[in-house]
Amino acid sequence: MHARVRAGDPEAFRELFTSCARLVHGYAVRATGDPALAEDVVSLTFLEAWRLRERLKDEGDSPRPWVMGIAVNVLRNTTRARRRHERAMARLPAREPLPDFADEVVGRLADAEQLAAVKVALGRLRAREREVFMLCVWSGLGYSEAAVALGVRVGTVRSRLSRARTRLRRLTDEALREPARARGQVPGDRLITVVRSSGESQA
């Protein structure tokens, strides 16, 4: 399939999309917390893959490390563009506040806090550690595949992932406890357990 993709075979590229699109989307959703933006990342990733198809090398049985390497770069660029947009929007006059519908979503509060804690913790990781964690733990790439995707050595992937696991456990704990202290409550440990078990599954 590698040769067919390089040659611009539409059917081969369709197979490539089918086999990797969900992986790219899951990576982007977890990185951004925005399903709509994740769809954009998928589209841009495969547009870029088509443009760069002649660079696909015959290394390994699967092209997914190559695709995920493109996805990582697309996400970096998309995130920078979104930050610029958010800064521009912040300079606009504030809108009238919307009504508070908190009572309607009170049952979702705990899950929302937990998801927010993960996002906060991931945001506090160094970018390179965050990318390795998301590729290896959340996207299921092996060490060698992640190394190809990021253009680094396998040993570098291992060391970054180890640091990411350690820092993510601590940062998630802190992110969960900060809002809880503000309410005078003690948070549960379910989310921390999820983060730990996810990290340890790659050990």
Side-chain angles (χ1 to χ4, degrees):
M1 188 176 74
H2 293 66
R4 290 166 57 209
V5 168
R6 285 196 299 271
D9 182 342
E11 185 59 33
F13 203 80
R14 189 176 297 111
E15 293 174 16
L16 179 70
F17 180 87
T18 301
S19 64
C20 297
R22 183 175 295 181
L23 181 66
V24 173
H25 186 266
Y27 176 81
V29 165
R30 292 184 176 103
T32 66
D34 185 339
L37 182 58
E39 293 287 351
D40 291 341
V41 171
V42 172
S43 298
L44 292 170
T45 294
F46 284 95
L47 283 172
E48 190 71 357
W50 176 260
R51 187 179 71 84
L52 300 174
R53 61 188 182 278
E54 294 181 359
R55 299 185 186 180
L56 176 59
K57 299 178 181 179
D58 293 322
E59 296 178 354
D61 297 327
S62 171
R64 71 178 190 169
W66 178 72
V67 171
M68 290 305 293
I70 295 173
V72 168
N73 287 326
V74 166
L75 187 59
R76 288 172 182 167
N77 294 334
T78 302
T79 301
R80 282 195 292 266
R82 185 172 65 167
R83 290 197 190 109
R84 288 195 295 269
H85 174 74
E86 289 173 349
R87 287 195 293 267
M89 294 298 292
R91 292 193 290 268
L92 296 176
R95 296 181 178 180
E96 291 294 323
L98 295 174
D100 185 1
F101 298 109
D103 289 343
E104 298 180 16
V105 295
V106 66
R108 305 176 191 175
L109 182 59
D111 286 342
E113 288 177 350
Q114 291 169 346
L115 289 172
V118 167
K119 188 172 182 181
V120 168
L122 281 171
R124 291 176 179 172
L125 287 180
R126 296 181 179 89
R128 293 178 177 179
E129 294 172 357
R130 181 168 58 250
E131 290 167 355
V132 167
F133 180 86
M134 293 180 63
L135 286 173
C136 292
V137 177
W138 276 354
S139 297
L141 268 66
Y143 295 127
S144 59
E145 290 180 314
V148 171
L150 296 173
V152 299
R153 296 181 178 181
V154 172
T156 302
V157 170
R158 290 180 180 274
S159 61
R160 288 181 185 175
L161 183 58
S162 177
R163 291 195 300 269
R165 288 171 178 163
T166 301
R167 297 191 68 221
L168 191 59
R169 290 167 184 159
R170 175 175 57 81
L171 292 170
T172 302
D173 189 14
E174 292 174 359
L176 277 171
R177 293 184 185 280
E178 285 169 3
R181 281 197 296 267
R183 298 191 307 273
Q185 298 175 355
V186 177
D189 292 330
R190 185 166 69 89
L191 184 60
I192 301 172
T193 301
V194 171
V195 172
R196 285 176 176 164
S197 62
S198 296
E200 290 164 1
S201 66
Q202 287 288 319

